[in-house]
């Protein structure tokens, strides 16, 4: 299998490599994706693809903003990068997907007072990873004031605000039940995952833990099912071949989750506020 090395994406070259990126955060942006790319998908999910994600360099520094349509279509972005840089086309595009756009994300793990983790099954209408089981909430902070941050402290606060927003949007959890100060930031994970060949994820994912008993009013356009599982229950359902899990959740389960879970009621502090980005791609 042939491989190729593409240049590092920086604030100086991002516009040349990816013309669909706006070098300014929270300003007008170009969607850049043909309407044909979204033909046949759910109307509400298409609308959400116009939300503005935070485009990053490899060190999690914001260098611009772009719509979810641009950020989640790595195959098209990679092709453009290869054409503009006159680099040879690799044998398998997905092996070099990490030379495409990188954006910021978060994953919430909500535990109840019995230390059970709340899972959701993504709706069939979702454009990426439909019908898969995953952690409580996974989404993106937006390139807008309050959710953007250039340094780690402000970025963490931004993803906590975004987490509140999406927990309400997806699961109907009121922000009063998940106050910002109760979220625990653990670490950041850099991963890449193709979805269906056209769409995928290439993210620096902020991991947030929170312990709360909450009331659910699930948005059926976002999630088709929910369940609480114990740590042992999670191990059991993970072995169920009939169930499919999102790649980021599977990655976290296979590496870090159960160690964190064991320290949920004591000792979690040693895992919190990690300044290192864990590279998993």
């Amino acid at each position: 299998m042939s491989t190729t090395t593409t240049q590092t994406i920086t604030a100086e070259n991002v516009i040349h490599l990816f013309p669909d990126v706006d070098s300014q955060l929270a300003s007008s942006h170009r969607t850049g994706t043909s309407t044909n790319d979204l033909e046949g998908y759910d109307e509400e999910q298409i609308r959400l693809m116009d939300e503005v994600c935070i485009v990053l360099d490899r060190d999690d520094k914001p260098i611009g903003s772009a719509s979810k349509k641009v950020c989640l279509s790595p195959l098209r972005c990679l092709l453009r990068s290869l054409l503009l840089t006159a680099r040879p086309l690799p044998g398998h595009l997905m092996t070099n997907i990490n030379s495409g756009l990188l954006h910021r994300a978060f994953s919430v793990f909500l535990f109840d007072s019995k230390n059970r983790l709340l899972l959701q099954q993504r709706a069939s209408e979702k454009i990426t990873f439909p019908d898969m089981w995953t952690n409580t909430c996974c989404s993106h902070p937006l390139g807008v004031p309050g959710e953007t941050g250039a340094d780690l402290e402000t970025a963490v606060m931004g993803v906590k605000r975004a987490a509140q927003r999406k927990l309400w949007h997806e699961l109907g959890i009121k922000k009063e039940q998940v106050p910002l100060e109760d979220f625990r930031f653990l670490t950041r994970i850099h991963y890449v995952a193709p979805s269906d060949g056209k769409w995928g994820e290439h993210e620096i994912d902020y991991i947030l833990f929170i312990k709360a008993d909450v009331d659910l009013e699930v948005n059926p356009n976002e999630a088709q099912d929910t369940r609480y599982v114990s740590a042992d229950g999670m191990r059991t359902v993970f072995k169920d071949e009939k169930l499919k899990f999102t790649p980021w959740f599977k990655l976290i389960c296979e590496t870090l989750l159960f160690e964190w879970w064991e320290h949920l009621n004591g000792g979690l502090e040693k895992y919190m506020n990690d300044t290192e980005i864990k590279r998993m791609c």
Side-chain angles (χ1 to χ4, degrees), residues 28-71:
S28 61
H29 64 287
R30 293 155 285 184
T31 60
T33 308
S34 167
T35 55
N36 291 334
D37 292 332
L38 294 169
E39 186 176 353
Y41 289 106
D42 176 78
E43 289 185 7
E44 173 62 11
Q45 292 298 321
I46 291 174
R47 184 189 68 79
L48 291 172
M49 290 293 267
D50 279 331
E51 290 184 334
V52 186
C53 290
I54 303 166
V55 175
L56 307 169
D57 68 12
R58 185 174 169 83
D59 296 318
D60 193 29
K61 300 298 183 186
I63 57 175
S65 59
S67 73
K68 285 170 66 176
K69 284 188 287 189
V70 172
C71 290

Side-chain angles (χ1 to χ4, degrees), residues 52-252:
V52 186
C53 290
I54 303 166
V55 175
L56 307 169
D57 68 12
R58 185 174 169 83
D59 296 318
D60 193 29
K61 300 298 183 186
I63 57 175
S65 59
S67 73
K68 285 170 66 176
K69 284 188 287 189
V70 172
C71 290
L72 303 186
S73 53
L75 185 61
R76 185 180 59 79
C77 291
L78 177 59
L79 282 169
R80 173 177 289 139
S81 176
L82 293 168
L83 290 170
L84 288 174
T85 55
R87 298 180 183 277
L89 190 67
H92 297 281
L93 287 172
M94 299 308 292
T95 62
N96 284 315
I97 194 174
N98 61 342
S99 61
L101 287 179
L102 175 64
H103 60 278
R104 186 173 289 165
F106 65 85
S107 289
V108 175
F109 292 75
L110 186 149
F111 301 86
D112 67 6
S113 55
K114 297 179 182 179
N115 292 340
R116 298 179 303 172
L117 174 61
L118 177 61
L119 305 180
Q120 69 155 279
Q121 184 182 17
R122 292 165 67 86
S124 298
E125 291 84 356
K126 299 289 285 186
I127 293 173
T128 57
F129 309 101
D131 302 314
M132 293 188 181
W133 283 92
T134 194
N135 50 287
T136 313
C137 181
C138 335
S139 192
H140 312 90
L142 302 181
V144 298
E147 295 190 12
T148 304
D151 61 86
L152 184 58
E153 182 178 359
T154 55
V156 167
M157 183 55 67
V159 298
K160 288 180 179 181
R161 292 191 183 103
Q164 271 191 339
R165 172 176 57 81
K166 290 301 291 184
L167 284 168
W168 165 251
H169 175 234
E170 295 185 4
L171 300 174
I173 299 174
K174 296 178 180 179
K175 66 179 182 180
E176 291 80 11
Q177 294 185 319
V178 284
L180 292 177
E181 60 269 20
D182 286 359
F183 285 98
R184 301 290 179 258
F185 164 66
L186 273 65
T187 190
R188 293 169 290 175
I189 292 173
H190 179 191
Y191 81 96
V192 59
S195 179
D196 61 356
K198 179 186 290 186
W199 308 102
E201 295 284 10
H202 182 205
E203 302 178 328
I204 291 182
D205 190 17
Y206 283 60
I207 307 302
L208 300 176
F209 270 30
I210 187 168
K211 195 167 182 180
D213 290 318
V214 298
D215 300 310
L216 299 179
E217 190 174 338
V218 177
N219 178 352
N221 192 254
E222 291 291 326
Q224 59 183 285
D225 198 2
T226 60
R227 68 170 69 171
Y228 283 95
V229 294
S230 65
D232 287 340
M234 184 70 248
R235 292 185 177 95
T236 299
V237 299
F238 215 59
K239 297 176 182 177
D240 189 339
E241 295 181 356
K242 297 189 299 293
L243 302 179
K244 294 183 178 181
F245 297 91
T246 58
W248 62 87
F249 182 50
K250 187 174 182 179
L251 185 65
I252 294 168

